Amino acid sequence: MPLFWSIRLVMDFEWLLWALPVAFGLGWMASRIDVRQWRRVQHDAPQAYFKGLTLLLNEQQDKAIDAFIEAVQHDPGSSDLHFALGNLFRRRGEYERAVRVHQHLVMRGDLPASERDRAQFALAQDYHKAGLFDRAEQAFKMLEGTDFATEARLATLTLHERARDWKSAIEVARSLESVAGGSFGSRIAHYACELALEADARGQAEEAETALARAREASAQSPRPWVLAGQRLARQGKHAEALTLWTPLMTIHPGVFSVIARDYGASAKACGQEDVARECLRAVQRQTPSTDVLAALLKLETDPTERRETLHEHLQLHPTLTATQALLREIGLGPSAQPDEAQAIQQALSEAARPLQRYRCAACGFEAQQYFWQCPGCQGWDTYPPRRLEDH
């Protein structure tokens, strides 16, 4: 018995000695095949891919697109190459080609769910950029319950803003508050104010009042609902009530108050509260001086000497062309000046001051003579500082 096991052990050992070199050889051959294949793939696709990136960094987008197309042809299964190509098409404004690329990714059955969701989000962005808002909204809705749900809702909110569908915008903003966290109260207040303006334009006063009340509920600290409510009262001839609404803005939002300073002065004059208004405007001017508050104050000043002193005080602290022009109108140019000379000087000052009397968006730099709560250029909310350029 011991002899049998000894012979069996020697035979197993011999087979092991033969099997090890064979296994090593087979493994070596398989590794060489894999290395060659890997080198071939690396030589074909990544080389074209990196070439495309280099061209893109050099702002040669046409050649970069050709390089990415070549890379996709060498490696059609790579989703990253398709995403790079589709996003480049979108940046170039070739939205139809971008849609085709991202649709191809969405319909691929071999992609994991996360990559298909990414492709769906890219496709929705293509529709959005192309101005196909209905398709974009449907594409964004298909992302509910995915990792892109919050981004999709934010994009849908932008769609509703551009379509001026304020009721739908309010619904989406409230859903974002409940899911994504953060406060959209100020944005909702703006939407309600837009609804109030539309209701007033249709002559539906009660609906406008309800919308402004909802705006104040959404964001009690937002100044716009109070500004609009006071302006509505002033148009109705209820100037004293308008002053009551506007007065708190002097302390809560003194900068924003300058936007309605002229309206405030006009309402004070209409209801006989000039003395109280002058004192309030002087306090605001000392705290947050502006040419609008100065203009409102000058209209309430009946004494020429008081007007000169107000202008002189303003110029000492804040020398502006608008105040200089107003002071020259008060004091004149002296007895030796001819009327046409005085007119020429006034016209020159007026032309020089006009570009400085604008508001400028802090986000995109869009300038306008009137104040906007939403920038016409970048569509941002509350991006206009409530001070004219010459007041900075």
Side-chain angles (χ1 to χ4, degrees):
M1 195 69 174
L3 180 61
F4 172 77
W5 287 111
S6 298
I7 295 173
R8 180 68 181 271
L9 182 62
V10 170
M11 292 178 65
D12 289 345
F13 184 71
E14 289 179 354
W15 277 107
L16 182 63
L17 291 176
W18 280 100
L20 282 176
V22 171
F24 177 78
L26 291 175
W28 180 81
M29 291 177 62
S31 65
R32 294 300 297 173
I33 293 173
D34 289 341
V35 167
R36 289 173 184 171
Q37 184 178 2
W38 178 81
R39 285 179 177 174
R40 189 182 304 112
V41 172
Q42 293 296 314
H43 181 269
D44 292 340
Q47 185 176 3
Y49 178 69
F50 290 125
K51 178 183 177 183
L53 287 179
T54 303
L55 292 169
L56 188 60
L57 291 174
N58 292 330
E59 297 183 357
Q60 295 177 289
Q61 295 188 2
D62 292 333
K63 294 182 179 179
I65 288 176
D66 294 336
F68 281 127
I69 291 175
E70 179 185 351
V72 168
Q73 290 173 347
H74 285 302
D75 190 10
S78 174
S79 60
D80 288 333
L81 290 175
H82 285 79
F83 279 119
L85 184 60
N87 293 337
L88 187 54
F89 281 145
R90 189 196 309 138
R91 286 179 56 187
R92 288 274 298 169
E94 300 181 45
Y95 303 119
E96 185 177 351
R97 301 178 76 181
V99 166
R100 287 202 301 268
V101 171
H102 292 133
Q103 278 181 337
H104 168 73
L105 288 171
V106 170
M107 296 177 66
R108 276 178 55 178
D110 61 330
L111 283 183
S114 60
E115 289 295 289
R116 280 200 302 273
D117 293 339
R118 179 185 172 191
Q120 180 68 32
F121 183 69
L123 179 62
Q125 289 179 306
D126 297 336
Y127 289 140
H128 188 181
K129 290 292 186 180
L132 303 174
F133 298 146
D134 292 339
R135 291 189 181 183
E137 185 177 356
Q138 292 175 1
F140 282 129
K141 284 182 179 179
M142 295 177 66
L143 291 165
E144 287 294 331
T146 70
D147 293 338
F148 293 89
T150 300
E151 295 178 72
R153 290 186 184 184
L154 287 170
T156 303
L157 188 64
T158 303
L159 288 175
H160 291 321
E161 286 183 1
R162 294 191 64 175
R164 303 188 66 82
D165 186 357
W166 307 117
K167 291 182 179 179
S168 298
I170 290 175
E171 293 177 3
V172 175
R174 293 194 185 281
S175 70
L176 282 167
E177 279 188 331
S178 62
V179 175
S183 175
F184 283 79
S186 176
R187 191 81 70 91
I188 293 172
H190 279 302
Y191 300 155
C193 287
E194 294 292 337
L195 287 173
L197 291 174
E198 291 179 356
D200 269 332
R202 295 191 301 266
Q204 298 173 336
E206 293 184 3
E207 186 176 339
E209 291 177 4
T210 302
L212 287 177
R214 290 177 179 172
R216 291 193 290 269
E217 291 175 2
S219 179
Q221 297 299 318
S222 294
R224 190 184 183 187
W226 304 96
V227 169
L228 293 184
Q231 290 174 336
R232 292 186 73 253
L233 290 172
R235 287 195 299 269
Q236 297 169 8
K238 302 176 182 179
H239 296 286
E241 296 179 36
L243 295 180
T244 302
L245 281 179
W246 286 334
T247 299
L249 292 177
M250 296 183 181
T251 54
I252 301 174
H253 296 286
V256 175
F257 177 80
S258 65
V259 175
I260 56 161
R262 298 171 192 260
D263 295 336
Y264 178 87
S267 290
K269 196 169 184 178
C271 65
Q273 296 189 26
E274 292 96 324
D275 294 338
V276 176
R278 273 196 300 270
E279 294 303 318
C280 291
L281 289 173
R282 286 196 184 102
V284 175
Q285 184 70 350
R286 286 192 293 269
Q287 181 181 358
T288 312
S290 73
T291 53
D292 290 297
V293 175
L294 177 64
L297 188 56
L298 291 175
K299 285 190 175 181
L300 294 177
E301 294 284 7
T302 56
D303 186 2
T305 304
E306 290 290 335
R307 287 200 298 271
R308 288 187 185 182
E309 291 180 359
T310 299
L311 286 166
H312 185 256
E313 180 182 351
H314 178 85
L315 284 171
Q316 284 183 319
L317 299 175
H318 305 280
T320 60
L321 289 176
T322 301
T324 302
Q325 185 182 15
L327 183 59
L328 284 177
R329 280 197 298 265
E330 293 292 332
I331 64 177
L333 296 176
S336 60
Q338 299 296 321
D340 56 343
E341 295 175 338
Q343 183 178 0
I345 292 175
Q346 287 288 346
Q347 185 175 356
L349 287 173
S350 179
E351 291 295 327
R354 185 175 291 110
L356 299 175
Q357 293 170 349
R358 300 172 181 171
Y359 297 97
R360 176 185 292 163
C361 175
C364 70
F366 188 93
E367 295 184 4
Q369 289 289 341
Q370 71 178 88
Y371 181 79
F372 287 103
W373 300 97
Q374 183 185 26
C375 176
C378 64
Q379 305 298 313
W381 293 97
D382 296 319
T383 57
Y384 271 90
R387 294 167 62 82
R388 300 183 189 273
L389 294 177
E390 66 177 339
D391 292 328
H392 289 280

PDB file of all heavy atoms in Angstrom, residues 77-80 83 102 104-121 143 146-148:
ATOM      1  N   GLY A  77     -18.746  52.101 -29.502  1.00  0.00           N
ATOM      2  CA  GLY A  77     -19.384  51.723 -28.243  1.00  0.00           C
ATOM      3  C   GLY A  77     -19.099  52.666 -27.104  1.00  0.00           C
ATOM      4  O   GLY A  77     -19.669  52.527 -26.027  1.00  0.00           O
ATOM      5  N   SER A  78     -18.206  53.634 -27.296  1.00  0.00           N
ATOM      6  CA  SER A  78     -17.837  54.553 -26.218  1.00  0.00           C
ATOM      7  C   SER A  78     -18.877  55.657 -26.078  1.00  0.00           C
ATOM      8  O   SER A  78     -19.062  56.469 -26.981  1.00  0.00           O
ATOM      9  CB  SER A  78     -16.460  55.156 -26.493  1.00  0.00           C
ATOM     10  OG  SER A  78     -16.162  56.139 -25.536  1.00  0.00           O
ATOM     11  N   SER A  79     -19.547  55.702 -24.935  1.00  0.00           N
ATOM     12  CA  SER A  79     -20.563  56.737 -24.727  1.00  0.00           C
ATOM     13  C   SER A  79     -19.932  58.099 -24.473  1.00  0.00           C
ATOM     14  O   SER A  79     -20.494  59.134 -24.849  1.00  0.00           O
ATOM     15  CB  SER A  79     -21.459  56.351 -23.543  1.00  0.00           C
ATOM     16  OG  SER A  79     -20.695  56.211 -22.354  1.00  0.00           O
ATOM     17  N   ASP A  80     -18.752  58.118 -23.834  1.00  0.00           N
ATOM     18  CA  ASP A  80     -18.104  59.403 -23.547  1.00  0.00           C
ATOM     19  C   ASP A  80     -17.778  60.155 -24.830  1.00  0.00           C
ATOM     20  O   ASP A  80     -17.896  61.379 -24.897  1.00  0.00           O
ATOM     21  CB  ASP A  80     -16.826  59.185 -22.734  1.00  0.00           C
ATOM     22  CG  ASP A  80     -17.125  58.784 -21.294  1.00  0.00           C
ATOM     23  OD1 ASP A  80     -18.203  59.165 -20.805  1.00  0.00           O
ATOM     24  OD2 ASP A  80     -16.292  58.110 -20.680  1.00  0.00           O
ATOM     25  N   PHE A  83     -20.980  61.696 -26.055  1.00  0.00           N
ATOM     26  CA  PHE A  83     -21.361  62.873 -25.266  1.00  0.00           C
ATOM     27  C   PHE A  83     -20.505  64.082 -25.650  1.00  0.00           C
ATOM     28  O   PHE A  83     -21.011  65.205 -25.773  1.00  0.00           O
ATOM     29  CB  PHE A  83     -21.198  62.583 -23.768  1.00  0.00           C
ATOM     30  CG  PHE A  83     -22.341  61.827 -23.167  1.00  0.00           C
ATOM     31  CD1 PHE A  83     -22.139  60.588 -22.594  1.00  0.00           C
ATOM     32  CD2 PHE A  83     -23.621  62.357 -23.174  1.00  0.00           C
ATOM     33  CE1 PHE A  83     -23.190  59.883 -22.037  1.00  0.00           C
ATOM     34  CE2 PHE A  83     -24.683  61.657 -22.617  1.00  0.00           C
ATOM     35  CZ  PHE A  83     -24.466  60.413 -22.051  1.00  0.00           C
ATOM     36  N   HIS A 102     -27.561  62.390 -29.243  1.00  0.00           N
ATOM     37  CA  HIS A 102     -28.091  62.049 -27.921  1.00  0.00           C
ATOM     38  C   HIS A 102     -29.285  61.099 -28.018  1.00  0.00           C
ATOM     39  O   HIS A 102     -29.497  60.275 -27.121  1.00  0.00           O
ATOM     40  CB  HIS A 102     -28.460  63.334 -27.171  1.00  0.00           C
ATOM     41  CG  HIS A 102     -27.275  64.167 -26.807  1.00  0.00           C
ATOM     42  ND1 HIS A 102     -27.202  65.531 -27.022  1.00  0.00           N
ATOM     43  CD2 HIS A 102     -26.077  63.809 -26.275  1.00  0.00           C
ATOM     44  CE1 HIS A 102     -26.028  65.978 -26.617  1.00  0.00           C
ATOM     45  NE2 HIS A 102     -25.328  64.953 -26.159  1.00  0.00           N
ATOM     46  N   HIS A 104     -29.451  58.732 -30.210  1.00  0.00           N
ATOM     47  CA  HIS A 104     -28.789  57.437 -30.395  1.00  0.00           C
ATOM     48  C   HIS A 104     -28.382  56.844 -29.045  1.00  0.00           C
ATOM     49  O   HIS A 104     -28.549  55.637 -28.800  1.00  0.00           O
ATOM     50  CB  HIS A 104     -27.567  57.604 -31.301  1.00  0.00           C
ATOM     51  CG  HIS A 104     -26.658  56.413 -31.320  1.00  0.00           C
ATOM     52  ND1 HIS A 104     -26.990  55.242 -31.957  1.00  0.00           N
ATOM     53  CD2 HIS A 104     -25.427  56.213 -30.762  1.00  0.00           C
ATOM     54  CE1 HIS A 104     -26.012  54.367 -31.803  1.00  0.00           C
ATOM     55  NE2 HIS A 104     -25.051  54.927 -31.085  1.00  0.00           N
ATOM     56  N   LEU A 105     -27.866  57.675 -28.147  1.00  0.00           N
ATOM     57  CA  LEU A 105     -27.455  57.193 -26.830  1.00  0.00           C
ATOM     58  C   LEU A 105     -28.658  56.747 -26.004  1.00  0.00           C
ATOM     59  O   LEU A 105     -28.602  55.731 -25.304  1.00  0.00           O
ATOM     60  CB  LEU A 105     -26.682  58.290 -26.093  1.00  0.00           C
ATOM     61  CG  LEU A 105     -25.277  58.599 -26.604  1.00  0.00           C
ATOM     62  CD1 LEU A 105     -24.723  59.842 -25.916  1.00  0.00           C
ATOM     63  CD2 LEU A 105     -24.350  57.421 -26.377  1.00  0.00           C
ATOM     64  N   VAL A 106     -29.748  57.518 -26.080  1.00  0.00           N
ATOM     65  CA  VAL A 106     -30.945  57.164 -25.307  1.00  0.00           C
ATOM     66  C   VAL A 106     -31.493  55.802 -25.738  1.00  0.00           C
ATOM     67  O   VAL A 106     -31.973  55.013 -24.915  1.00  0.00           O
ATOM     68  CB  VAL A 106     -32.027  58.258 -25.463  1.00  0.00           C
ATOM     69  CG1 VAL A 106     -33.363  57.796 -24.876  1.00  0.00           C
ATOM     70  CG2 VAL A 106     -31.585  59.543 -24.775  1.00  0.00           C
ATOM     71  N   MET A 107     -31.397  55.500 -27.039  1.00  0.00           N
ATOM     72  CA  MET A 107     -31.993  54.274 -27.571  1.00  0.00           C
ATOM     73  C   MET A 107     -31.055  53.066 -27.465  1.00  0.00           C
ATOM     74  O   MET A 107     -31.476  51.942 -27.766  1.00  0.00           O
ATOM     75  CB  MET A 107     -32.386  54.494 -29.034  1.00  0.00           C
ATOM     76  CG  MET A 107     -33.459  55.553 -29.223  1.00  0.00           C
ATOM     77  SD  MET A 107     -33.844  55.870 -30.964  1.00  0.00           S
ATOM     78  CE  MET A 107     -34.564  54.287 -31.425  1.00  0.00           C
ATOM     79  N   ARG A 108     -29.832  53.285 -27.033  1.00  0.00           N
ATOM     80  CA  ARG A 108     -28.912  52.165 -26.896  1.00  0.00           C
ATOM     81  C   ARG A 108     -29.286  51.291 -25.707  1.00  0.00           C
ATOM     82  O   ARG A 108     -29.433  51.778 -24.580  1.00  0.00           O
ATOM     83  CB  ARG A 108     -27.470  52.661 -26.732  1.00  0.00           C
ATOM     84  CG  ARG A 108     -26.786  52.957 -28.054  1.00  0.00           C
ATOM     85  CD  ARG A 108     -25.395  53.490 -27.856  1.00  0.00           C
ATOM     86  NE  ARG A 108     -24.560  52.602 -27.047  1.00  0.00           N
ATOM     87  CZ  ARG A 108     -23.277  52.848 -26.775  1.00  0.00           C
ATOM     88  NH1 ARG A 108     -22.694  53.944 -27.246  1.00  0.00           N
ATOM     89  NH2 ARG A 108     -22.589  52.016 -26.030  1.00  0.00           N
ATOM     90  N   GLY A 109     -29.459  50.006 -25.945  1.00  0.00           N
ATOM     91  CA  GLY A 109     -29.865  49.104 -24.878  1.00  0.00           C
ATOM     92  C   GLY A 109     -28.732  48.636 -24.002  1.00  0.00           C
ATOM     93  O   GLY A 109     -28.971  48.080 -22.927  1.00  0.00           O
ATOM     94  N   ASP A 110     -27.479  48.844 -24.445  1.00  0.00           N
ATOM     95  CA  ASP A 110     -26.347  48.356 -23.666  1.00  0.00           C
ATOM     96  C   ASP A 110     -25.851  49.364 -22.640  1.00  0.00           C
ATOM     97  O   ASP A 110     -24.941  49.056 -21.869  1.00  0.00           O
ATOM     98  CB  ASP A 110     -25.192  47.978 -24.603  1.00  0.00           C
ATOM     99  CG  ASP A 110     -24.708  49.178 -25.423  1.00  0.00           C
ATOM    100  OD1 ASP A 110     -25.538  50.060 -25.717  1.00  0.00           O
ATOM    101  OD2 ASP A 110     -23.514  49.219 -25.756  1.00  0.00           O
ATOM    102  N   LEU A 111     -26.423  50.553 -22.613  1.00  0.00           N
ATOM    103  CA  LEU A 111     -25.983  51.566 -21.660  1.00  0.00           C
ATOM    104  C   LEU A 111     -26.617  51.336 -20.296  1.00  0.00           C
ATOM    105  O   LEU A 111     -27.787  50.947 -20.204  1.00  0.00           O
ATOM    106  CB  LEU A 111     -26.363  52.973 -22.152  1.00  0.00           C
ATOM    107  CG  LEU A 111     -25.527  53.601 -23.248  1.00  0.00           C
ATOM    108  CD1 LEU A 111     -26.018  55.012 -23.522  1.00  0.00           C
ATOM    109  CD2 LEU A 111     -24.060  53.624 -22.894  1.00  0.00           C
ATOM    110  N   PRO A 112     -25.890  51.588 -19.216  1.00  0.00           N
ATOM    111  CA  PRO A 112     -26.520  51.529 -17.889  1.00  0.00           C
ATOM    112  C   PRO A 112     -27.541  52.658 -17.730  1.00  0.00           C
ATOM    113  O   PRO A 112     -27.524  53.651 -18.464  1.00  0.00           O
ATOM    114  CB  PRO A 112     -25.331  51.695 -16.930  1.00  0.00           C
ATOM    115  CG  PRO A 112     -24.263  52.351 -17.743  1.00  0.00           C
ATOM    116  CD  PRO A 112     -24.450  51.867 -19.147  1.00  0.00           C
ATOM    117  N   ALA A 113     -28.414  52.518 -16.753  1.00  0.00           N
ATOM    118  CA  ALA A 113     -29.504  53.486 -16.558  1.00  0.00           C
ATOM    119  C   ALA A 113     -28.968  54.891 -16.314  1.00  0.00           C
ATOM    120  O   ALA A 113     -29.535  55.874 -16.800  1.00  0.00           O
ATOM    121  CB  ALA A 113     -30.392  53.041 -15.395  1.00  0.00           C
ATOM    122  N   SER A 114     -27.864  54.999 -15.578  1.00  0.00           N
ATOM    123  CA  SER A 114     -27.318  56.326 -15.276  1.00  0.00           C
ATOM    124  C   SER A 114     -26.860  57.038 -16.544  1.00  0.00           C
ATOM    125  O   SER A 114     -27.044  58.255 -16.694  1.00  0.00           O
ATOM    126  CB  SER A 114     -26.149  56.198 -14.293  1.00  0.00           C
ATOM    127  OG  SER A 114     -25.120  55.389 -14.847  1.00  0.00           O
ATOM    128  N   GLU A 115     -26.282  56.287 -17.487  1.00  0.00           N
ATOM    129  CA  GLU A 115     -25.817  56.897 -18.730  1.00  0.00           C
ATOM    130  C   GLU A 115     -27.000  57.280 -19.631  1.00  0.00           C
ATOM    131  O   GLU A 115     -26.964  58.308 -20.313  1.00  0.00           O
ATOM    132  CB  GLU A 115     -24.891  55.930 -19.471  1.00  0.00           C
ATOM    133  CG  GLU A 115     -23.538  55.748 -18.809  1.00  0.00           C
ATOM    134  CD  GLU A 115     -22.711  57.012 -18.818  1.00  0.00           C
ATOM    135  OE1 GLU A 115     -22.230  57.411 -19.882  1.00  0.00           O
ATOM    136  OE2 GLU A 115     -22.580  57.636 -17.740  1.00  0.00           O
ATOM    137  N   ARG A 116     -28.051  56.468 -19.621  1.00  0.00           N
ATOM    138  CA  ARG A 116     -29.236  56.828 -20.414  1.00  0.00           C
ATOM    139  C   ARG A 116     -29.905  58.078 -19.849  1.00  0.00           C
ATOM    140  O   ARG A 116     -30.393  58.923 -20.603  1.00  0.00           O
ATOM    141  CB  ARG A 116     -30.224  55.663 -20.442  1.00  0.00           C
ATOM    142  CG  ARG A 116     -29.853  54.580 -21.434  1.00  0.00           C
ATOM    143  CD  ARG A 116     -31.058  53.716 -21.801  1.00  0.00           C
ATOM    144  NE  ARG A 116     -31.649  53.086 -20.634  1.00  0.00           N
ATOM    145  CZ  ARG A 116     -31.248  51.915 -20.136  1.00  0.00           C
ATOM    146  NH1 ARG A 116     -30.254  51.269 -20.698  1.00  0.00           N
ATOM    147  NH2 ARG A 116     -31.841  51.399 -19.084  1.00  0.00           N
ATOM    148  N   ASP A 117     -29.925  58.206 -18.525  1.00  0.00           N
ATOM    149  CA  ASP A 117     -30.483  59.423 -17.907  1.00  0.00           C
ATOM    150  C   ASP A 117     -29.646  60.640 -18.286  1.00  0.00           C
ATOM    151  O   ASP A 117     -30.184  61.723 -18.563  1.00  0.00           O
ATOM    152  CB  ASP A 117     -30.522  59.277 -16.389  1.00  0.00           C
ATOM    153  CG  ASP A 117     -31.506  58.218 -15.927  1.00  0.00           C
ATOM    154  OD1 ASP A 117     -32.427  57.889 -16.703  1.00  0.00           O
ATOM    155  OD2 ASP A 117     -31.363  57.723 -14.795  1.00  0.00           O
ATOM    156  N   ARG A 118     -28.345  60.453 -18.307  1.00  0.00           N
ATOM    157  CA  ARG A 118     -27.457  61.546 -18.724  1.00  0.00           C
ATOM    158  C   ARG A 118     -27.736  61.947 -20.162  1.00  0.00           C
ATOM    159  O   ARG A 118     -27.780  63.137 -20.497  1.00  0.00           O
ATOM    160  CB  ARG A 118     -26.010  61.105 -18.554  1.00  0.00           C
ATOM    161  CG  ARG A 118     -24.977  62.133 -18.961  1.00  0.00           C
ATOM    162  CD  ARG A 118     -23.581  61.528 -18.863  1.00  0.00           C
ATOM    163  NE  ARG A 118     -22.565  62.411 -19.422  1.00  0.00           N
ATOM    164  CZ  ARG A 118     -21.310  62.038 -19.647  1.00  0.00           C
ATOM    165  NH1 ARG A 118     -20.917  60.805 -19.337  1.00  0.00           N
ATOM    166  NH2 ARG A 118     -20.439  62.887 -20.168  1.00  0.00           N
ATOM    167  N   ALA A 119     -27.946  60.948 -21.019  1.00  0.00           N
ATOM    168  CA  ALA A 119     -28.248  61.236 -22.423  1.00  0.00           C
ATOM    169  C   ALA A 119     -29.607  61.906 -22.561  1.00  0.00           C
ATOM    170  O   ALA A 119     -29.785  62.811 -23.391  1.00  0.00           O
ATOM    171  CB  ALA A 119     -28.220  59.942 -23.230  1.00  0.00           C
ATOM    172  N   GLN A 120     -30.574  61.494 -21.754  1.00  0.00           N
ATOM    173  CA  GLN A 120     -31.897  62.111 -21.785  1.00  0.00           C
ATOM    174  C   GLN A 120     -31.823  63.575 -21.373  1.00  0.00           C
ATOM    175  O   GLN A 120     -32.476  64.446 -21.975  1.00  0.00           O
ATOM    176  CB  GLN A 120     -32.842  61.356 -20.849  1.00  0.00           C
ATOM    177  CG  GLN A 120     -34.261  61.904 -20.780  1.00  0.00           C
ATOM    178  CD  GLN A 120     -35.018  61.720 -22.077  1.00  0.00           C
ATOM    179  OE1 GLN A 120     -34.792  60.757 -22.796  1.00  0.00           O
ATOM    180  NE2 GLN A 120     -35.903  62.651 -22.380  1.00  0.00           N
ATOM    181  N   PHE A 121     -31.018  63.868 -20.370  1.00  0.00           N
ATOM    182  CA  PHE A 121     -30.851  65.260 -19.929  1.00  0.00           C
ATOM    183  C   PHE A 121     -30.164  66.083 -21.019  1.00  0.00           C
ATOM    184  O   PHE A 121     -30.557  67.234 -21.277  1.00  0.00           O
ATOM    185  CB  PHE A 121     -30.033  65.293 -18.643  1.00  0.00           C
ATOM    186  CG  PHE A 121     -29.867  66.672 -18.060  1.00  0.00           C
ATOM    187  CD1 PHE A 121     -30.946  67.348 -17.522  1.00  0.00           C
ATOM    188  CD2 PHE A 121     -28.630  67.299 -18.052  1.00  0.00           C
ATOM    189  CE1 PHE A 121     -30.810  68.619 -16.990  1.00  0.00           C
ATOM    190  CE2 PHE A 121     -28.470  68.558 -17.531  1.00  0.00           C
ATOM    191  CZ  PHE A 121     -29.573  69.225 -16.990  1.00  0.00           C
ATOM    192  N   LEU A 143     -37.292  62.787 -16.676  1.00  0.00           N
ATOM    193  CA  LEU A 143     -36.180  62.607 -15.740  1.00  0.00           C
ATOM    194  C   LEU A 143     -36.626  62.595 -14.287  1.00  0.00           C
ATOM    195  O   LEU A 143     -35.786  62.567 -13.377  1.00  0.00           O
ATOM    196  CB  LEU A 143     -35.136  63.712 -15.956  1.00  0.00           C
ATOM    197  CG  LEU A 143     -34.373  63.629 -17.275  1.00  0.00           C
ATOM    198  CD1 LEU A 143     -33.653  64.932 -17.564  1.00  0.00           C
ATOM    199  CD2 LEU A 143     -33.389  62.470 -17.247  1.00  0.00           C
ATOM    200  N   THR A 146     -34.983  60.446 -11.224  1.00  0.00           N
ATOM    201  CA  THR A 146     -33.592  60.130 -11.538  1.00  0.00           C
ATOM    202  C   THR A 146     -32.656  61.090 -10.810  1.00  0.00           C
ATOM    203  O   THR A 146     -33.092  62.017 -10.116  1.00  0.00           O
ATOM    204  CB  THR A 146     -33.341  60.226 -13.049  1.00  0.00           C
ATOM    205  OG1 THR A 146     -33.411  61.613 -13.447  1.00  0.00           O
ATOM    206  CG2 THR A 146     -34.380  59.430 -13.821  1.00  0.00           C
ATOM    207  N   ASP A 147     -31.371  60.878 -10.983  1.00  0.00           N
ATOM    208  CA  ASP A 147     -30.390  61.779 -10.360  1.00  0.00           C
ATOM    209  C   ASP A 147     -30.409  63.169 -10.987  1.00  0.00           C
ATOM    210  O   ASP A 147     -29.837  64.110 -10.421  1.00  0.00           O
ATOM    211  CB  ASP A 147     -28.978  61.179 -10.493  1.00  0.00           C
ATOM    212  CG  ASP A 147     -28.821  59.911  -9.672  1.00  0.00           C
ATOM    213  OD1 ASP A 147     -29.600  59.738  -8.710  1.00  0.00           O
ATOM    214  OD2 ASP A 147     -27.940  59.086  -9.994  1.00  0.00           O
ATOM    215  N   PHE A 148     -31.028  63.301 -12.159  1.00  0.00           N
ATOM    216  CA  PHE A 148     -31.091  64.592 -12.846  1.00  0.00           C
ATOM    217  C   PHE A 148     -32.415  65.311 -12.596  1.00  0.00           C
ATOM    218  O   PHE A 148     -32.701  66.312 -13.255  1.00  0.00           O
ATOM    219  CB  PHE A 148     -30.900  64.393 -14.346  1.00  0.00           C
ATOM    220  CG  PHE A 148     -29.540  63.929 -14.746  1.00  0.00           C
ATOM    221  CD1 PHE A 148     -29.242  62.581 -14.803  1.00  0.00           C
ATOM    222  CD2 PHE A 148     -28.533  64.834 -15.037  1.00  0.00           C
ATOM    223  CE1 PHE A 148     -27.988  62.130 -15.175  1.00  0.00           C
ATOM    224  CE2 PHE A 148     -27.272  64.399 -15.409  1.00  0.00           C
ATOM    225  CZ  PHE A 148     -26.995  63.043 -15.475  1.00  0.00           C
TER     226      PHE A 148
END
